[in-house]
Amino acid sequence: MLSEMPTRAAQKQHTHARLVAAARTVIARQGLAETTARHIAAEAGVAVGTVFLHFPTMARLAETLLDETVEAALATARGGLPASGLVDQLVHLSTCLYDAYWADPDLSRQVIAASVFEADPQGPSSRRMADFRSWVTALADDAVAAGALPPIAGDEVFAGFFALYFGVLVSGLRGEVDRATQPALLRTLLVRFLKEVDA
């Protein structure tokens, strides 16, 4: 029956998902630096050209893998966000992200290293970062409006928070801070940062 045939968009989405799963498998097995489009195509059972249709470069592939990790973590964070307390909200959000990265720390290290400076302004990571920035900025603006923070631009709070969050993330993935310590360390740093704002 014609209505049972998958649409072109559904087929494309299915192929994309197969390629992402294949990439995760191959990268886990041999590392991102040693992974090629041919390896991914072979794992997914598709032609090499199909890989390039979905991911024109390996940097775009790494960016997509990172974006999917972040997307899932942010969905989890939104579901359990504390109702108030900016530090509590930011630590909760960060903990969800740390958990996602720690689910596969080797892959996370490789993907973050490959995608940090290679992000396409129109790519998934740029869009996700814009959404993330808007969310954190809104939380900060709400805290200012409630009198929990002195007048400060939400973008400034985001910049300080993100620098601290990312520093703790990288320290953890480098083995300098263990996973269990990350939220407490971030909390301490955020309290100091926001105290400086209040001074």
Side-chain angles (χ1 to χ4, degrees):
M1 188 176 257
L2 190 60
S3 63
E4 293 175 3
M5 292 184 64
T7 65
R8 184 164 172 79
Q11 287 176 331
K12 184 175 180 179
Q13 187 175 20
H14 176 72
T15 300
H16 181 88
R18 280 178 51 203
L19 291 170
V20 168
R24 287 185 186 279
T25 299
V26 173
I27 292 168
R29 184 171 57 233
Q30 63 195 43
L32 183 61
E34 300 299 320
T35 298
T36 67
R38 289 190 189 284
H39 296 130
I40 295 167
E43 184 72 28
V46 300
V48 175
T50 302
V51 176
F52 289 116
L53 284 173
H54 289 264
F55 307 105
T57 66
M58 290 303 286
R60 174 55 73 89
L61 173 63
E63 182 183 2
T64 299
L65 293 174
L66 181 62
D67 181 64
E68 289 189 359
T69 297
V70 170
E71 178 183 27
L74 292 179
T76 299
R78 287 181 195 274
L81 189 70
S84 62
L86 182 61
V87 170
D88 289 340
Q89 291 172 329
L90 295 176
V91 169
H92 168 76
L93 165 61
S94 299
T95 298
C96 292
L97 288 164
Y98 295 152
D99 286 345
Y101 289 121
W102 274 90
D104 191 342
D106 289 333
L107 178 63
S108 294
R109 279 189 286 274
Q110 294 176 69
V111 169
I112 289 170
S115 65
V116 167
F117 296 108
E118 295 294 330
D120 176 348
Q122 303 304 315
S125 291
S126 295
R127 289 190 301 271
R128 183 84 49 224
M129 180 57 88
D131 291 343
F132 182 50
R133 177 186 298 272
S134 293
W135 185 25
V136 172
T137 299
L139 292 174
D141 290 343
D142 289 348
V144 169
L149 273 182
I152 182 174
D155 283 339
E156 291 178 28
V157 173
F158 176 79
F161 157 69
F162 191 77
L164 297 172
Y165 153 77
F166 195 73
V168 172
L169 170 65
V170 171
S171 294
L173 290 174
R174 289 176 51 119
E176 298 164 354
V177 176
D178 66 52
R179 171 62 195 93
T181 305
Q182 284 180 303
L185 175 58
L186 180 63
R187 177 180 297 281
T188 299
L189 295 171
L190 283 171
V191 167
R192 288 182 185 165
F193 164 62
L194 293 174
K195 193 175 286 185
E196 287 297 316
V197 167
D198 206 8

